Amino acid sequence: MSSPASLPVTNQQASQPPINSHAFRTFLSRLSSSLRDSLSQRRPWLELVDRSSFARPESLSDSFSRIRKNLSYFKVNYAAIISLVLAFSLLSHPFSLLVLLSLLGSWMFLYLFRSSDQPLVLFGRTFSDRETLLALVLTTIVIVFMTSVGSLLTSALTIGIAIVCLHGAFRVPDDLFLDDQEPANAGLLSFIGNSAATSAAASVVAGRV
């Protein structure tokens, strides 16, 4: 008596590439640490809005000088203001927020934190890392530059930067104790440019190239 034919079993995990959990946890840990270090250098908000320290600039060069000094002193506060403007703009446009979150998730789970020894398999086809990267880059370009999402981000950034420049031009920095010895990449700038979180993401990408 012949044994019954076995049913074909498909590998469901192939279409869902596993995440490199160690790299992901390391990234989140370093990101959290960088954010805490940056926020610890935030200046008091009452100092930012002290009405007695506002005056009209005498000239255009005076405005630029004030902006430069205030930006160095209030850089974390200014970054928080721009972030709040971005967040408010995205929350007021849920579809754009959903698109950006989906794009971010695609980068994280399909490329940055996907185990390099696990190929990406979608719809029965295997995609190499180069093909995945190219597809993500093209998708990002289309979403950011050819849809309303890009104009929303540009408008929000423009409004945020305008608020920062306006405050910096009218806020007299004479009462600020600027530390000339402070590194140029301290605080939030180190988080943007040279933070451990950025290095962690870069190391993941470098390992794939």
Side-chain angles (χ1 to χ4, degrees):
M1 182 176 180
S2 60
S3 60
S6 59
L7 296 176
V9 178
T10 59
N11 187 359
Q12 298 295 333
Q13 296 181 349
S15 60
Q16 299 178 355
I19 300 174
N20 189 334
S21 57
H22 175 71
F24 187 64
R25 288 195 300 268
T26 301
F27 175 81
L28 290 181
S29 175
R30 293 180 178 179
L31 177 62
S32 176
S33 175
S34 298
L35 284 174
R36 286 195 302 268
D37 291 342
S38 298
L39 292 176
S40 66
Q41 301 185 35
R42 174 181 56 84
R43 307 298 182 178
W45 289 103
L46 291 178
E47 188 176 2
L48 186 78
V49 296
D50 183 8
R51 296 180 59 183
S52 63
S53 300
F54 286 88
R56 179 181 299 179
E58 298 178 355
S59 62
L60 188 61
S61 60
D62 185 31
S63 299
F64 287 136
S65 176
R66 290 184 180 184
I67 292 174
R68 179 179 59 82
K69 293 178 181 179
N70 284 315
L71 183 62
S72 176
Y73 188 79
F74 292 113
K75 54 181 175 288
V76 177
N77 302 74
Y78 285 160
I81 292 174
I82 295 176
S83 299
L84 286 175
V85 173
L86 279 171
F88 178 79
S89 299
L90 290 174
L91 289 174
S92 61
H93 296 79
F95 177 75
S96 298
L97 177 60
L98 179 62
V99 170
L100 285 178
L101 290 178
S102 299
L103 182 62
L104 177 62
S106 298
W107 273 99
M108 293 179 64
F109 298 115
L110 296 181
Y111 187 77
L112 291 177
F113 300 111
R114 179 172 54 84
S115 299
S116 58
D117 59 343
Q118 295 290 337
L120 175 62
V121 180
L122 293 175
F123 307 109
R125 179 183 173 185
T126 302
F127 294 86
S128 65
D129 282 345
R130 292 182 181 274
E131 292 174 330
T132 304
L133 177 61
L134 178 60
L136 288 172
V137 169
L138 292 177
T139 302
T140 302
I141 292 175
V142 170
I143 291 177
V144 173
F145 295 102
M146 299 183 183
T147 65
S148 59
V149 175
S151 61
L152 176 65
L153 293 176
T154 302
S155 301
L157 285 174
T158 302
I159 294 174
I161 293 174
I163 293 174
V164 167
C165 291
L166 187 64
H167 178 275
F170 281 84
R171 199 340 177 140
V172 180
D174 294 342
D175 63 328
L176 304 181
F177 296 96
L178 299 176
D179 187 2
D180 294 335
Q181 302 301 321
E182 183 180 1
N185 62 342
L188 188 71
L189 297 183
S190 65
F191 168 70
I192 296 175
N194 299 311
S195 68
T198 306
S199 300
S203 64
V204 174
V205 177
R208 294 182 174 280
V209 178

